[in-house]
Amino acid sequence: SSASHIIYYLFNNMRTFATAAAAGSVLLTTTSSAFTAQPRQQQTSSTALSMGLKTKVISKVIENPVTAAAAGAALVGTAAVKVVLDRPSRTYNEDSVAKEYDAWTQDGILEYYWGEHIHLGYYNEEEMKNGYKKKDFIQAKYDFIDEMMKFGGIDAETDKGAKVLDVGCGFGGTSRYLADKLGPKADVTGITLSPNQVKRGTELAEERGLSN
């Protein structure tokens, strides 16, 4: 999770943070010294060389040296933290995504809570007006597939011999729904990176007698 990644970085990059803090401290000390070393009148007279916005900015810095130094230190610290947190949290290879999907499928958590379709649902204007939370979100997923069939020009009555390719099928919820709705003459193929998803999807298809 994002939180665990941040904690990991904090523990494994203390030297970077310490350097940033030291830099901020030096900036604070140096800036404060620069603004307090000269009399106020001499500092003010130097701003006469600038005009407009530049003059106002310099005047504000002179009036509030500690605030300016703190802002500089905060900027340095923020930049250092950003550099650390922008580093990739883990190394990826060609099997990384498949392994994650394998783990999720084996755990069964997504299937238990989300049903067979790990995607968004469909809610018409009336359902949205009445409050989308009142609609069963698993049914909304089936409605989503129906709407996608309409969008793709697929009709359950006239396309009973259709060949369908479900790319990124997960463990086959949409593939099984289409295979059932289009009938035994249809040919539905699902593709996923995860061997465990293939296994689970095949098991569910066999349980429901969907050989197509």
Side-chain angles (χ1 to χ4, degrees):
S1 66
S2 299
S4 62
H5 290 169
I6 292 174
I7 294 172
Y8 173 84
Y9 283 129
L10 290 175
F11 278 102
N12 288 276
N13 295 276
M14 293 304 294
R15 182 176 297 178
T16 302
F17 288 117
T19 302
S25 299
V26 171
L27 179 60
L28 176 63
T29 304
T30 304
T31 309
S32 299
S33 299
F35 283 115
T36 56
Q38 297 180 356
R40 177 58 59 87
Q41 291 183 350
Q42 186 175 355
Q43 293 175 9
T44 305
S45 63
S46 66
T47 64
L49 298 175
S50 303
M51 299 294 290
L53 181 60
K54 184 178 180 181
T55 302
K56 293 180 181 179
V57 171
I58 294 176
S59 298
K60 290 294 183 182
V61 171
I62 292 174
E63 292 173 4
N64 301 284
V66 176
T67 301
L75 182 61
V76 172
T78 300
V81 171
K82 185 178 186 304
V83 168
V84 173
L85 296 183
D86 279 349
R87 294 175 183 172
S89 60
R90 67 183 77 177
T91 57
Y92 289 89
N93 55 51
E94 60 183 10
D95 295 327
S96 294
V97 176
K99 289 179 179 178
E100 290 297 327
Y101 286 162
D102 279 344
W104 296 342
T105 303
Q106 186 172 353
D107 291 341
I109 296 176
L110 292 179
E111 182 179 350
Y112 180 81
Y113 287 105
W114 282 82
E116 298 183 21
H117 310 275
I118 314 301
H119 54 57
L120 301 177
Y122 174 79
Y123 304 85
N124 59 36
E125 292 184 5
E126 183 178 354
E127 290 166 342
M128 291 296 292
K129 183 178 179 180
N130 294 332
Y132 71 93
K133 291 184 178 180
K134 294 181 179 180
K135 181 177 180 177
D136 180 72
F137 79 100
I138 292 181
Q139 180 58 49
K141 296 172 186 290
Y142 288 106
D143 292 346
F144 178 84
I145 301 172
D146 290 336
E147 291 299 317
M148 291 301 295
M149 288 177 66
K150 294 178 185 178
F151 181 79
I154 301 175
D155 184 86
E157 293 299 325
T158 60
D159 295 311
K160 289 187 177 297
K163 291 186 177 181
V164 179
L165 179 63
D166 184 4
V167 180
C169 65
F171 53 95
T174 299
S175 298
R176 289 186 296 278
Y177 180 79
L178 291 173
D180 182 53
K181 191 160 189 174
L182 294 175
K185 293 183 179 180
D187 185 2
V188 181
T189 301
I191 296 177
T192 176
L193 293 170
S194 166
N196 278 0
Q197 288 186 337
V198 173
K199 179 181 177 182
R200 181 56 179 158
T202 302
E203 290 173 351
L204 291 173
E206 291 175 349
E207 287 177 8
R208 297 169 194 179
L210 297 171
S211 60
N212 57 331

